[in-house]
Amino acid sequence: MARQGLKERGVNRVAVLVYGGGAVLLAPWIVVLALSQEQSTDGYRLRLSSLGMSVFIVAALVRAAITCRRQSPGVVVPAPLAATFLFISGWFDTITAKHAPLAIALAYDVFVKLPTIVLAVWLALRMARDRGAHHSVPAWVPTAFVAATIVLVPWFVTVLRLIQRTSELHNLRLFWTGLDIFELVSMAASGWYLYRRSPYVAVSAMVTAALLFSDAWFNVVTTVHVAHRAGRSQAVEAIQAGGISVS
């Protein structure tokens, strides 16, 4: 009966199952992660991680400005991506840092990143609601995205020059648990919007994609060296146990 109802309404059952099932499966994983995740550990390739996120943010903002300029409904793709990448970038930098953010970093978060996030989300929701109508993009929005990009780029360059390649990361339990909670909420919202045939599903789906991508990016880039290091340590211990000196 439920399948027939979804089919009659033109709802993709597989997509609903993927989003809804993913949210359900994430719930126990969040509990396991909260109980087992270390609070602090070394983070590797932090410059590469920061560079990647900076490129993703700038590319999304530039694309959002271009699609807005063209009055294209396709802005519902780059705008949520830009907002999510900006949010996760700030979340990672703030939560995992040993000390509270410097005044200039906090100023960028409050006066540049936060307004840009709000603007991008507002625009994406407005375009989704109006189903891409041309009047949904105010004339000043492309300029706002360009201005945000111009202001953010010098900050990204400064961070890349100051950040260490390897550094101890703190509050990882809060960071990873929080990120997974964000993913659960966005996946559940996408499943619900899809089930209700809401136009907002385009926005929530892009947010989900950006969150999952960010999760994989930070996980692979900043911890990929851990497995290699552990394997090397085990090899050294095995050689030493065999009576061979390792310099």
Side-chain angles (χ1 to χ4, degrees):
M1 182 67 70
R3 288 184 178 181
Q4 184 177 358
L6 290 175
K7 186 175 181 180
E8 290 176 354
R9 294 166 55 192
V11 177
N12 190 318
R13 298 192 301 271
V14 175
V16 173
L17 180 61
V18 169
Y19 283 116
V24 171
L25 292 176
L26 264 178
W29 167 247
I30 292 173
V31 176
V32 172
L33 185 65
L35 295 176
S36 62
Q37 175 66 53
E38 296 181 359
Q39 278 285 62
S40 301
T41 189
D42 289 337
Y44 301 89
R45 300 177 180 174
L46 297 180
R47 288 179 183 172
L48 176 59
S49 172
S50 179
L51 174 62
M53 289 303 295
S54 300
V55 171
F56 304 149
I57 291 169
V58 170
L61 287 174
V62 170
R63 184 59 184 172
I66 293 174
T67 52
C68 284
R69 183 68 177 176
R70 295 175 178 174
Q71 296 287 324
S72 170
V75 73
V76 297
V77 173
L81 291 179
T84 307
F85 287 141
L86 278 168
F87 175 78
I88 294 301
S89 175
W91 175 259
F92 178 81
D93 294 340
T94 303
I95 297 299
T96 62
K98 184 176 181 180
H99 303 290
L102 299 174
I104 186 171
L106 187 60
Y108 264 85
D109 287 342
V110 174
F111 297 109
V112 181
K113 289 185 179 181
L114 183 58
T116 306
I117 291 171
V118 173
L119 172 62
V121 172
W122 169 79
L123 178 64
L125 292 175
R126 177 181 173 124
M127 288 292 289
R129 180 199 64 190
D130 296 343
R131 302 185 182 276
H134 295 318
H135 65 79
S136 297
V137 183
W140 54 268
V141 171
T143 303
F145 280 131
V146 172
T149 305
I150 293 174
V151 174
L152 283 169
V153 167
W155 170 248
F156 292 152
V157 173
T158 302
V159 170
L160 286 173
R161 294 182 61 183
L162 296 178
I163 195 172
Q164 298 178 355
R165 294 182 61 184
T166 301
S167 180
E168 187 176 10
L169 301 178
H170 300 263
N171 303 314
L172 290 176
R173 184 178 303 167
L174 175 60
F175 170 75
W176 288 115
T177 303
L179 180 54
D180 283 345
I181 290 175
F182 301 148
E183 293 170 2
L184 185 152
V185 172
S186 64
M187 292 182 75
S190 297
W192 175 251
Y193 286 143
L194 190 61
Y195 174 77
R196 301 292 299 177
R197 298 188 65 185
S198 170
Y200 296 133
V201 68
V203 178
S204 62
M206 294 312 303
V207 170
T208 301
L211 288 172
L212 293 172
F213 180 83
S214 300
D215 190 329
W217 177 258
F218 284 121
N219 194 31
V220 172
V221 174
T222 63
T223 64
V224 68
H225 186 64
V226 175
H228 171 73
R229 182 183 178 187
R232 183 177 182 275
S233 298
Q234 292 175 0
V236 170
E237 291 174 359
I239 293 174
Q240 290 176 339
I244 302 176
S245 176
V246 178
S247 58

